[in-house]
């Protein structure tokens, strides 16, 4: 079954330091991977996606993600974290080819410390 | 503005009541979804619809019902059979279901609390 795992519950980082949020995937066939961010009491906002092509994907708000097929990972990164990046981050994978369902990881709480 | 509108933002349900959460989109999207969010469990799919007058159960459909009479609308009814309905509910939509690269977009969510 298609699934993603986000191994850490919370990521703490000092403002200005690099931010990494980890995601590993398990799929049969080609992976189609997504990152979303959720602020308190809000819906999910799309950040970026990997469908095919370059392994480094650039997205919104200065975020990027690196697709690594050998390690089955799709880690989200930002070179310099801001306090406003404090939020809940979800990794997701397309479940069935030809069907647009998404299966989500449990989410990672990111806390950026001023 | 284009987008996905969920209402109400906050809803309180008494024991034994059915309640309906509204989801409307003006993006001309074909597919619509309902997810449930509980702390520490991520998002779980309740129902989804790829075209008008058609919908399929997701992973946790028991105690819920939906309809898709119009392309832009996908209301979710939480019935009295749902024993633990307190949660944050998210509606989502996207273009052309068979496009694997299409992004799914979300509404702002609705809180349902049992009182």
């Amino acid at each position: 079954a298609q699934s993603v795992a986000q191994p850490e519950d919370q990521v703490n980082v000092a403002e200005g330091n690099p931010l990494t949020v980890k995601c590993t995937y398990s799929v049969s066939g080609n992976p189609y991977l997504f990152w979303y961010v959720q602020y308190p009491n809000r819906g999910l906002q799309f950040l970026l996606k990997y469908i095919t092509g370059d392994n480094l994907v650039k997205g919104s708000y200065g975020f990027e993600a690196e697709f690594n097929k050998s390690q089955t990972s799709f880690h989200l990164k930002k070179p310099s974290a801001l306090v406003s990046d404090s939020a809940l981050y979800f990794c997701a994978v397309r479940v069935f080819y030809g069907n647009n369902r998404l299966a989500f990881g449990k989410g990672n709480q990111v806390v950026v410390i001023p | 503005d284009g987008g996905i509108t969920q209402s109400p933002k906050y809803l309180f349900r008494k024991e034994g009541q059915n309640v309906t959460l509204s989801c409307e989109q003006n993006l001309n999207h074909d597919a619509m979804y309902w997810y449930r969010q509980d702390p520490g469990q991520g998002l779980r799919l309740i129902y989804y619809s790829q075209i008008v007058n058609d919908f399929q159960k997701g992973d946790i459909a028991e105690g819920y019902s939906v309809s898709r009479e119009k392309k832009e609308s996908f209301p979710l009814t939480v019935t009295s059979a749902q024993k633990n309905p307190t949660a944050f509910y998210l509606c989502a939509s996207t273009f052309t279901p068979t496009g694997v690269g299409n992004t799914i977009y979300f509404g702002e969510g609705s809180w349902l609390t049992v009182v």
Side-chain angles (χ1 to χ4, degrees):
Chain A
Q2 264 78 330
S3 65
V4 292
Q6 298 181 245
E8 300 164 317
D9 289 331
Q10 182 164 313
V11 175
N12 296 326
V13 61
E15 186 176 22
N17 281 3
L19 169 62
T20 298
V21 188
K22 296 180 180 178
C23 174
T24 58
Y25 65 88
S26 174
V27 303
S28 54
N30 294 323
Y32 303 100
L33 300 159
F34 299 75
W35 275 104
Y36 288 83
V37 61
Q38 184 181 35
Y39 297 98
N41 205 31
R42 303 291 299 277
L44 273 65
Q45 296 180 31
F46 169 72
L47 283 177
L48 50 80
K49 63 185 176 183
Y50 174 81
I51 304 301
T52 186
D54 289 340
N55 290 340
L56 185 64
V57 179
K58 294 191 181 295
S60 305
Y61 313 121
F63 283 94
E64 59 188 28
E66 185 172 10
F67 172 70
N68 188 317
K69 188 172 183 177
S70 63
Q71 297 185 6
T72 63
S73 67
F74 188 54
H75 300 332
L76 181 70
K77 299 180 180 182
K78 186 171 184 180
S80 178
L82 302 172
V83 173
S84 57
D85 294 328
S86 298
L88 190 57
Y89 290 81
F90 288 98
C91 182
V93 64
R94 185 66 45 74
V95 175
F96 303 115
Y97 183 83
N99 185 313
N100 225 353
R101 294 182 62 178
L102 284 178
F104 286 85
K106 63 178 174 60
N108 278 126
Q109 184 67 49
V110 169
V111 177
V112 181
I113 304 165
Chain B
D1 286 342
I4 303 169
T5 301
Q6 291 187 237
S7 62
K9 181 69 176 180
Y10 301 96
L11 187 59
F12 298 91
R13 193 195 89 169
K14 295 181 179 179
E15 296 284 347
Q17 270 187 341
N18 293 351
V19 294
T20 297
L21 305 179
S22 170
C23 179
E24 303 277 333
Q25 54 96 1
N26 61 3
L27 302 168
N28 199 32
H29 284 171
D30 306 287
M32 298 186 73
Y33 307 81
W34 276 104
Y35 283 88
R36 170 177 170 146
Q37 185 177 14
D38 296 280
Q41 296 193 44
L43 278 71
R44 293 180 290 170
L45 184 65
I46 305 172
Y47 268 98
Y48 62 102
S49 168
Q50 299 188 45
I51 57 173
V52 174
N53 293 322
D54 184 57
F55 47 83
Q56 292 81 41
K57 293 181 178 180
D59 303 317
I60 56 165
E62 184 176 353
Y64 299 97
S65 65
V66 293
S67 63
R68 187 84 187 276
E69 297 177 359
K70 298 185 296 182
K71 186 176 184 178
E72 59 270 23
S73 179
F74 192 42
L76 174 73
T77 297
V78 185
T79 75
S80 57
Q82 171 50 239
K83 298 307 179 187
N84 185 24
T86 297
F88 192 50
Y89 291 86
L90 288 156
C91 179
S93 68
T94 190
F95 283 114
T96 314
T98 54
V100 293
N102 291 335
T103 299
I104 293 179
Y105 295 95
F106 285 80
E108 287 294 303
S110 292
W111 281 103
L112 175 61
T113 303
V114 174
V115 296

